[in-house]
Amino acid sequence: MSRRHFSLAAASALLAACTTTGGKLDGAPITATPTAPPADKAQQKPVRVALALGGGAARGFAHIGVIKALEARNIQIDLVAGTSAGSVVGALYASGMNGFALNKLALSMDEASISDWAMPFRTRGFLQGVALQKYLNTTLNNRPIEKMARPLGVVATDLQTGQPILFQRGDTGIAVRASCSVPSIFEPVKIGGHEYVDGGLVSPVPASFARKMGADFVIAVDISQRPETGVISSSFDVLMQTFTIMGQSIKAYELDKYADVVIRPNLAAMSGSDFSQRNAAILAGEEAVAKMMPELQRKLAARRMAG
């Protein structure tokens, strides 16, 4: 297997500016009837919107396109939860990067800089993951999770108990590394006496964790393959297909119960190990948002009216 098969994508985010509501009208005649704000505007309540970014290895570049398209339509995201590849993009986005910076970073990234082959006879994975950890921390100027521009949650799996964990404090790089540690590809990550592996085992698209972080409205991004359309051209693809099959029921339950809108970029022709189609994946994310916008705007407006 080449190093290209195991690199993980990175990505970024925009802090959308809030606009203020209009003030009083000046100079109106005393006898004029005051202009009341439209009923729908008057009754709208603040709603915390979350972005839940799922796992999918190289397909994670599509998250960047989703973020760019949401920014372009002034959809403000208040918090982010990420699993695996989604945690990489989520961390960069939560740091305050905008979509265009994210796009530039992804297309110019040197894959060798985030791949570190483990020495034989002492490891439980082909890649250590330390390079990914250092790459993220360097890019983020060693900013811990709790110091991000918007709240960030990183999902991983406790290897001993099988229970999920949501990292919301501490070293961003090591938390993301844990979330991305696909068993047998990456070594498990030791944190606080526990070993952690890929969050996709327990939460392929972390909509439920976005709720736990305080979200009122969850936009989930599912970049996983459907088993029947899976591209299986390498041993890594076989492993990812296995994850997809195992995670189907968990994902369906979590999205149905906790996600308000699910965005599914059309990545049918893209393998999780194919890092050469970065731009195509980004464009697929943008197109998916464009198709979902009427539904997203309708549901978000209804949620704001509900208070």
Side-chain angles (χ1 to χ4, degrees), residues 247-261:
Q248 279 188 103
S249 296
I250 298 173
K251 183 183 70 176
Y253 171 80
E254 186 165 4
L255 292 180
D256 181 64
K257 185 172 183 179
Y258 297 105
D260 294 282
V261 173

Side-chain angles (χ1 to χ4, degrees), residues 30-114:
I30 294 176
T31 56
T33 302
T35 302
D40 60 335
K41 296 292 184 183
Q43 296 175 24
Q44 285 190 1
K45 304 296 173 92
V47 172
R48 295 193 79 197
V49 180
L51 196 57
L53 304 177
R59 296 157 67 93
F61 285 106
H63 289 317
I64 300 172
V66 169
I67 290 168
K68 287 176 65 181
L70 291 174
E71 289 174 352
R73 291 162 177 82
N74 296 315
I75 302 297
Q76 178 172 318
I77 302 300
D78 300 297
L79 59 94
V80 190
T83 290
S84 199
S87 73
V88 178
V89 178
L92 293 164
Y93 177 50
S95 76
M97 290 184 184
N98 65 40
F100 288 101
L102 230 183
N103 200 143
K104 182 178 179 181
L105 180 64
L107 297 181
S108 63
M109 183 179 60
D110 176 12
E111 295 175 23
S113 69
I114 60 172

Side-chain angles (χ1 to χ4, degrees), residues 137 140-149 152 168-173:
N137 280 339
L140 299 171
N141 296 315
N142 293 308
R143 191 185 309 183
I145 297 173
E146 68 271 18
K147 297 294 184 181
M148 292 297 174
L152 169 67
Q168 292 183 272
R169 298 185 62 83
D171 187 308
T172 304

Side-chain angles (χ1 to χ4, degrees), residues 17 24 37 121 129 142 144 180 190 193 197-198 253 273 286 306:
K24 299 178 181 177
F121 311 119
N142 293 308
C180 294
K190 292 183 179 180
V197 291
D198 198 301
Y253 171 80
S273 62
E286 294 184 55

